[in-house]
Structure formats: C-alpha cells, structure tokens
Amino acid sequence: MSTPEPAGTTPSAPAAPVSHAHPRFADALAELGLQVEVRRFPDATRTAAEAAAAVGCALSEIVKSLVFAADGVPVLVLMDGSSRVDLELVRRELGAGKVERADAAVVRETTGYAIGGVPPFGHATRTRVLADRRILDHAVVWAAAGTPHTVFPLDPKTLIAHAGATVADVRESAK
C-alpha cells in the first residue's frame, strides 16, 4: 500500500538523468533526438591518446574535431585519433588557396568549445565539415562531448550525418 501525496502537492516525477556533456552539446543531442552515453573522466581526455586510454579503445577509434582556417574561413575536420590531417589535401578538397590550423580564439568563437573538448556537432556557428574516410573503418567511434573530460560513443555514419560532413581523404599518408 502506498502513502498518498500530501494535499496540495503533485506526485514527484523521476529526476532527469544527469548529463556530463557540456550544456550546449547536451541541447544539440536533445534536438537531434540522440540518446548517447556521455562518459566523464576525472583526468582530462584532451588528446586522442588520453581519450583512448580512458575509454579503453584503439587510438583510431577516437574522432578528433579539429578547426582549420581555409582562406580565413573556419572549417572543421573530423580525423581518427591515430592520424594527422594533410593540409594540402584539405586545401584541394575545399578549393582553397591556403589552409592553416585555427588558433584557440577562433576555435572557441566558431564552435563554442575549448580545444580538447570540441565535439563533432552542436557548434555555436554552422561550419563546413570534412570527415576523413578512415573514421568509417570502425563500428563505433568516440568523440568529445564538449569538455576536455567527456566523451561519447556513436556509430561513424550517424556521427558524420549529424555533423553534416563531407567524407573525404584528408589523412596524411604514412611516411
């Protein structure tokens, strides 16, 4: 037998699950109807190697969200954690004259997040996105959830679709 609620009150609703994601990214997940497990770690997962160690996955299963400036216009490149971006390939893919890494201020202004916590989508401004083809080599990949301490898993096709990315070959070849 349950006890009735005191007069003048309503039954309490179950508490919403606590999200460890950055609030902007949590809002983006909700808007997209995505329910993902965001993991928070006490130590930063600012680098792909730190994230892979924390998650317990291969370095190539981490997706880095890197901001570059193509002729001064920000572009996001999604790259697997074990690879580097080839700026010449990005330049050719975009038809740009010059591509260089964006500084921390441009990254924050463009995405709304600090370097080391940039997720693949849910940014402050709409930006052109390239995703390196190798991301599709995995069943599940892990990406930052808006802070240097949080990551989330997602299948790569869904991640690329929600990022609005164009799949391209922009990985630096092994020397």
Side-chain angles (χ1 to χ4, degrees):
M1 182 167 156
S2 64
T3 47
E5 295 286 332
T9 64
T10 56
S12 51
V18 174
S19 174
H20 297 295
H22 183 285
R24 175 182 286 110
F25 187 66
D27 289 347
L29 289 172
E31 285 174 25
L32 294 168
L34 284 176
Q35 294 185 358
V36 298
E37 174 198 0
V38 175
R39 292 193 191 171
R40 178 167 174 52
F41 297 98
D43 296 322
T45 54
R46 191 174 301 274
T47 68
E50 290 169 346
V55 170
C57 70
L59 186 57
S60 62
E61 293 173 291
I62 299 297
V63 173
K64 301 183 285 191
S65 297
L66 305 168
V67 180
F68 296 89
D71 295 334
V73 177
V75 61
L76 180 73
V77 177
L78 304 176
M79 178 60 65
D80 78 86
S82 64
S83 300
R84 294 175 52 95
V85 174
D86 184 319
L87 296 182
E88 178 59 21
L89 293 177
V90 171
R91 187 193 69 71
R92 281 192 229 147
E93 181 68 31
L94 298 174
K98 181 180 181 183
V99 174
E100 58 191 356
R101 187 175 285 273
D103 67 24
V106 170
V107 171
R108 186 177 288 278
E109 180 183 327
T110 302
T111 67
Y113 305 97
I115 291 173
V118 176
F121 50 85
H123 299 159
T125 59
R126 188 138 178 87
T127 307
R128 181 141 184 215
V129 183
L130 298 177
D132 186 72
R133 190 171 312 284
R134 271 191 73 192
I135 292 170
L136 294 167
D137 291 349
H138 304 285
V140 173
V141 292
W142 294 81
T147 78
H149 292 270
T150 56
V151 295
F152 71 99
L154 199 60
D155 73 274
K157 286 182 182 175
T158 301
L159 184 139
I160 288 167
H162 287 305
T166 299
V167 176
D169 292 309
V170 293
R171 177 177 62 95
E172 194 175 81
S173 34
K175 300 199 188 282

